[in-house]
Each structure stands twice: as C-alpha cells, then as structure tokens.
Amino acid sequence: MKKKATGLFIASFLLCNLIPASLHAGNEAAKPLSKNLIVLIGDGMGPAQVTAARLYSKTILGAESLHLDGYYVGQASTFSERGEVDSSIESGLITDSSAAGTALATGHKTYNSAVSVSNHEVAKPYASVIEAAEAKGKATGLVTTARITHATPAAFASHVRSRGNETAIASQMLESGVDVLLGGGADYFTGKDAGGKRQDKTILPDFEAKGYSVVKDLAGLQALTVKHDKVLGLFNRSHLDYAIDRNTSSPSLADLTGKAIKLLSAKPEGFVLMIEGGRIDHAAHANDFPTMVKEMLDFDAAVKTAMDFAKKDGSTSVVVTADHETGGLSLGRDNMYELNIDLWNRQKSSSQVLNAALEQARTPEEIRKFVQTNTTITDLSDEEARFILKGDGSDYEREGAYNAVISKRLLVGWSGHAHSGVDVGVWAFGPIAELVKGKIDNTDIAKAGANTIGVDLDAVTAGLQAKYWYPKFKTMPGRSVVYPAKALAAKLGASADWDEASGTVRMAKGGKTILVNLKDGSATLNGQTAAYAVHVEKGTLYLSLNAFNDISGQSMTWDPLSERLVLQAG
C-alpha cells in the first residue's frame, strides 16, 4: 500500500512540474494528455454570480453546493488589448465578450469587438482550438443559449473585425467544418437579421447540402441520433428564451450539452466542444437578478452533464470559466448585513418579458399591478412606482428602473449595466486541471486546451494568415472600397513615404513606384497615369486594392461579406 502511494506521489509530482513547462514552451503539438476537450464558458459569470447561485441553491433548493464547486482550481484575468472600433469605442482593462472569447479560443489578446483577429490596421486571423482540432481530424461542436453567431461561439469558428457582422459569421460557420452547432440566431440563417430586416438569401439550404440536419425545437433535438453526423440546431430567431421564461418546446443548456456530447463522442478521433451559458450576461446587463440566478443554475446543470460524461469516459478534460463579470454585482447593500434570499424565488418571468407591459403603463397603480403580478411584492411605494415610470436613465429605461427597485428589495446591488474587470473563476477536471490552476490569464485556457489534446495552434494560425488579412477600410460613394496605404503597403513589404512639402505620397517596392498627388487625387505607376481610388481622412491615405496589387504583384481580392482580403498568388 505504501509503495503504491509513493508511486502515485511521484507521478503526481511529475505531472505538476513537467506539464506546465510544456504549456509555456510554445504551441507545437505534443503527445495528447486527453482525447477529448470540453470548454464551458459562463458569459458574465463573475464571483458574485457564482456565490448568488450557490446561496439560492442552498436556501431555496436545499442543495449544499453547486456542481461547479468540487472542481475549483483558480482564477483568470480577463483584460483586453487597448484599441478602438470605428474611432470611438475604447477597449482595454475591461473586456467585451468577443475579445475575451478570442483569448479563450485562440490564446491571443485583441481589442473589444474583434473576433479572433489581431489588433492591427491590417489584422491577422488567429486559429482557435476548435479549428486546430478540425485540422487534426477531431469532431467539433459549439453550443450556446445565445445566438450561435454571437461573440463567444463566433470566436471559435470565424474571423471578423467586428462582432456585429453576424451574417458573415454565419457564412464562415458553414465553411468551418464544425460538426454540431446548437443555439439561437435563426434569422442569420433564414434570410433575416435579428432585427427582422430581410437579407439577400437563406443559407439553410447550403448547410443541408453539406449534410447538416436542421432542428428547431426540443423534440427535434431529442430525435437526433449518432447517425446524424452534422447538426445545425436553431432554437429561436435570436437568443434562446431565458430559463425562467422557457416553455416545454425549448431545450435547456443541459439538454443541448448532453445531445452534443452524445453525437460528438461517437467519433473515434475524439472531439472538442465549447458550451456557453450566454444569457447569464444578458440578465446581468439588465440587472435582472432573479433571472440571472436561474441562468446560473441552468449553466451549472450543463456543467454536471459534462463532468458526468468526463468521469465515465476517462479520456476527457473539462475546463470551466467565464469571459468576464457583468453588472458589477454586489451581494449586500445599503449598510444592511443581510440578504433577502426568501424573495429571490418570487419572480415569475424575466424583466425582458415584462418590459413591453411596463412601457405601456401610464400610472403608478399600473406599475404596482405589474410588480405584484410578477413578484408578489404588494407594498410598492409611490416613489418606487414613479421611478419605474421615469426609467433609470440608461438604455434599459423602465426595465432598468424596475430591476433597480427589485434589486434593492432583494438587498443586492449593481455598479451599472456593463462589464467589470474582476478576475473570474476557473474550474477543471482531468489532465487540463494541472495546466490552469492558480492565478492564470484567460489566454492560458486556450494554450492549455491545445496542449491537452495535442493540437498545434501556431501551425493552423500560420495557414489562416497565408489566406486572409483583415484590414481597416473605408467604403466610398459608389461602393468602392479603399484601404490604409501605409499599413497595407508595409504588410506587403513596400514603403509608403508622405512628403508634406510636395503634397505627395510615394509607395515603392522593387522596381515599381506609385506616386499619389494628395492635392488633386491623381496617381501614377512608374510615371504612367493610374486609375486608383484615392481618399485622405484624418491624415491617413487610403487607396483602392488595384494599387496594392500593382505594387506587390499580388492578385488579392476583396471578400465584402467577411470584410477581408483573400490572398492569391500573382
């Protein structure tokens, strides 16, 4: 018995000390530690969200702990890179979901709004652990309660400069090779966007032509068998309904998780699966505390499903974390050393569902009626009712004010409707646990995942960067597109020198020279008149693509849907 224990100690020591070294030695593929990898991301799930769900579970449900609790290994920092989007939206120490999703998927930092591309004027794509797994022949899947084209799942299977380009994300998912896609966002696949605006075409037939079985409700999900190699599940036009609002035709996150695992685990090469509890974030943005708690419990049930499989399978690593915290949630407020947990279970539907009725209300008495119907709170004061009628001064208006009043009654607080920069928890099972324990950064999640299953992020990234670049660009009248001259020229190995005295820019490479007259917008190539679109804005020269192809000898083309340059040999 003593000899066996000594052997286990030595093996454990080697695992603890040798594996972390491999994590920081680079991304080249190593011998796999696990056949399968499951990554679960609670969007917006900060420490207070986890504690709130645990307190609810213990007090209301009679469970001493969350399923998460037994797997806690440490915490991760979440900051993004400093940058801007459309010259206005700053990013930095507080991340959004796309920058955080990029870090968790690819192991690289980027700016807020970027989806798995770098923080440069001519951005480069970064490969995700899903894409690296695809390159090695593994099965892959993405599951979310948000739109499948939303920031977090998008970061694992697409590349765009702006997360708002969900039509392109849907199109790239068609080409991604991901086997199982389960979530919301049907409008981006059926010819409408999430606001109901008609698009040019539906891409559902394209998915079906590639062998995808398309399902749209719980019955369709349950009918799937391992014979269905590829599946696209679209369970709502936009995000899935909140757990508190679901009907019997809507799947839970645990339902989606269980089916995805069943389908993917039938593949002999192994699989990688990302599962997102996407609506924890949305409820926290709205400051809808009771709805947020139910989303947390929905996510925790999916964690149990994944962990149960991993324990039984014996060759699966699981890592659980969040992309960031949302709302600046505090458990306790107003100098009260108590929480009104007995009120946390009174709300019947989300504030999102209630909002339409709130917006129609005209009197404090109508507000009281709505609140009583939804929460059983019968003593709403005139001051509280008038505050709800007025709105909270944010984009959430009356919904925000309603949630502020309810939160105060529950003795919880919020710092606002946006994200915060606190560290988030990390939970893990299997060999990956040794790679993500203690204080880590969110980029370490992707690197640890790649090392655990023995895939090469760097090699797949290099392949992507040889195919696509994602430059900043301007769309001119007449729909012509121009690109930043100095940044794109440098990327092509050309110089671009601005001469203020003569008002010209000289771009050169090898024996070719383009001279642009900034005063009249004319241009020449090796002294001959050239037809280039020329635009100057805020001290930056932009030129049309034919100028860059001429100077470099390339034959790059512009993909207007994904807003990227497709590189081709000249």
Side-chain angles (χ1 to χ4, degrees):
M1 185 69 169
K2 184 176 180 181
K3 184 176 180 180
K4 183 178 180 181
T6 302
L8 288 173
F9 173 80
I10 293 172
S12 176
F13 176 83
L14 290 173
L15 187 64
C16 291
N17 288 277
L18 295 180
I19 292 175
S22 70
L23 176 59
H24 301 290
N27 286 324
E28 60 269 10
K31 183 178 179 180
L33 303 172
S34 291
K35 180 181 177 181
N36 309 314
L37 173 67
I38 301 175
V39 181
L40 293 108
I41 300 171
D43 196 325
M45 184 181 72
Q49 281 81 0
V50 176
T51 303
R54 185 184 303 111
L55 290 172
Y56 181 99
S57 185
K58 181 175 181 179
T59 306
I60 306 295
L61 304 178
E64 284 298 314
S65 62
L66 298 174
H67 300 297
L68 270 177
D69 289 338
Y71 307 99
Y72 183 78
V73 294
Q75 64 187 49
S77 50
T78 64
F79 60 91
S80 59
E81 286 187 336
R82 296 194 178 276
E84 61 182 33
V85 179
D86 298 327
S87 302
S88 60
I89 302 175
E90 296 287 336
S91 73
L93 290 179
I94 309 300
T95 190
D96 79 340
S97 291
S98 57
T102 297
L104 293 167
T106 73
H108 291 276
K109 296 287 188 180
T110 192
Y111 62 93
N112 288 351
S113 192
V115 176
S116 294
V117 298
S118 66
N119 188 10
H120 300 100
E121 279 196 273
V122 181
K124 304 171 294 183
Y126 294 134
S128 73
V129 68
I130 286 275
E131 290 169 314
E134 286 280 341
K136 197 169 183 178
K138 289 184 178 292
T140 56
L142 297 172
V143 171
T144 181
T145 52
R147 294 191 294 270
I148 196 67
T149 51
H150 213 235
T152 303
F156 284 82
S158 65
H159 307 270
V160 289
R161 286 197 70 98
S162 174
R163 59 183 286 182
N165 193 357
E166 292 187 57
T167 303
I169 291 167
S171 178
Q172 288 187 37
M173 284 182 169
L174 173 65
E175 305 301 325
S176 69
V178 176
D179 299 288
V180 175
L181 298 161
L182 303 177
D187 280 356
Y188 289 103
F189 296 82
T190 58
K192 295 180 180 179
D193 67 16
K197 182 179 179 181
R198 177 62 61 180
Q199 299 294 324
D200 291 338
K201 59 171 287 189
T202 171
I203 62 172
L204 279 183
D206 299 325
F207 274 90
E208 291 171 329
K210 284 201 168 187
Y212 284 83
S213 299
V214 179
V215 296
K216 62 181 180 178
D217 54 25
L218 180 58
L221 181 76
Q222 292 173 333
L224 295 171
T225 70
V226 294
K227 294 181 180 179
H228 297 90
D229 288 344
K230 292 185 175 293
V231 175
L232 173 64
L234 299 170
F235 302 98
N236 210 342
R237 291 182 59 186
S238 184
H239 308 301
L240 272 65
D241 291 336
Y242 283 123
I244 198 172
D245 299 325
R246 284 184 197 138
N247 58 39
T248 55
S249 68
S250 299
S252 68
L253 187 56
D255 292 331
L256 299 173
T257 298
K259 183 59 70 173
I261 290 173
K262 182 176 181 179
L263 296 174
L264 295 173
S265 61
K267 310 295 175 65
E269 300 84 0
F271 69 88
V272 176
L273 172 63
M274 190 287 295
I275 301 155
E276 181 198 25
R279 304 223 65 192
I280 301 167
D281 174 68
H282 300 159
H285 270 299
N287 296 169
D288 184 350
F289 182 82
T291 297
M292 183 276 296
V293 170
K294 295 293 177 64
E295 291 302 305
M296 276 293 313
L297 296 174
D298 189 54
F299 179 73
D300 192 52
V303 171
K304 181 181 186 302
T305 299
M307 292 296 187
D308 286 349
F309 168 80
K311 289 177 181 178
K312 183 178 180 180
D313 177 66
S315 60
T316 299
S317 278
V318 182
V319 62
V320 186
T321 192
D323 48 1
H324 51 73
E325 191 274 344
T326 301
L329 175 63
S330 65
L331 301 180
R333 60 178 295 158
D334 304 330
N335 300 319
M336 298 287 289
Y337 285 67
E338 186 54 278
L339 291 168
N340 287 335
I341 299 179
D342 58 316
L343 296 179
W344 289 9
N345 196 34
R346 301 287 182 86
Q347 185 160 290
K348 298 176 182 177
S349 61
S350 69
S351 63
Q352 182 183 54
V353 167
L354 186 66
N355 189 47
L358 285 175
E359 289 298 326
Q360 295 298 315
R362 294 293 177 265
T363 67
E365 198 54 45
E366 289 178 280
I367 294 294
R368 286 193 188 89
K369 182 179 179 181
F370 292 138
V371 171
Q372 180 176 347
T373 299
N374 200 45
T375 68
T376 73
I377 294 174
T378 60
D379 59 343
L380 201 70
S381 68
D382 286 341
E383 181 182 10
E384 289 172 320
R386 285 194 295 269
F387 175 66
I388 294 174
L389 281 170
K390 183 180 179 181
D392 72 347
S394 76
D395 291 342
Y396 284 90
E397 300 178 338
R398 288 184 179 179
E399 182 184 3
Y402 163 84
N403 285 325
V405 168
I406 299 304
S407 292
K408 187 170 184 178
R409 293 297 189 104
L410 305 182
L411 293 181
V412 301
W414 305 88
S415 67
H417 291 293
H419 301 169
S420 73
V422 301
D423 290 351
V424 296
V426 180
W427 300 259
F429 173 83
I432 198 171
E434 290 297 334
L435 302 181
V436 295
K437 68 179 182 180
K439 169 62 184 71
I440 64 170
D441 185 66
N442 55 6
T443 54
D444 292 323
I445 300 288
K447 296 170 188 176
N451 274 268
T452 299
I453 58 172
V455 299
D456 193 337
L457 285 173
D458 288 343
V460 182
T461 292
L464 286 172
Q465 293 180 1
K467 294 179 180 179
Y468 304 112
W469 292 345
Y470 296 78
K472 289 185 176 180
F473 65 94
K474 301 285 182 182
T475 303
M476 307 306 295
R479 307 302 296 171
S480 63
V481 179
V482 292
Y483 311 89
K486 187 171 184 178
L488 188 49
K491 188 75 174 170
L492 292 165
S495 62
D497 300 312
W498 189 305
D499 186 338
E500 293 187 9
S502 63
T504 61
V505 172
R506 180 180 182 274
M507 194 160 67
K509 182 181 180 183
K512 298 179 181 178
T513 299
I514 291 176
L515 191 66
V516 179
N517 187 321
L518 302 176
K519 297 176 182 178
D520 61 13
S522 63
T524 61
L525 172 63
N526 288 347
Q528 301 296 313
T529 300
Y532 303 141
V534 177
H535 175 70
V536 179
E537 183 175 318
K538 297 180 180 179
T540 298
L541 170 65
Y542 294 83
L543 294 172
S544 52
L545 184 58
N546 57 337
F548 300 101
N549 280 334
D550 284 347
I551 199 70
S552 66
Q554 299 284 328
S555 56
M556 299 179 291
T557 59
W558 179 241
D559 175 357
L561 178 59
S562 291
E563 299 174 341
R564 64 189 177 187
L565 290 174
V566 181
L567 309 183
Q568 298 173 348

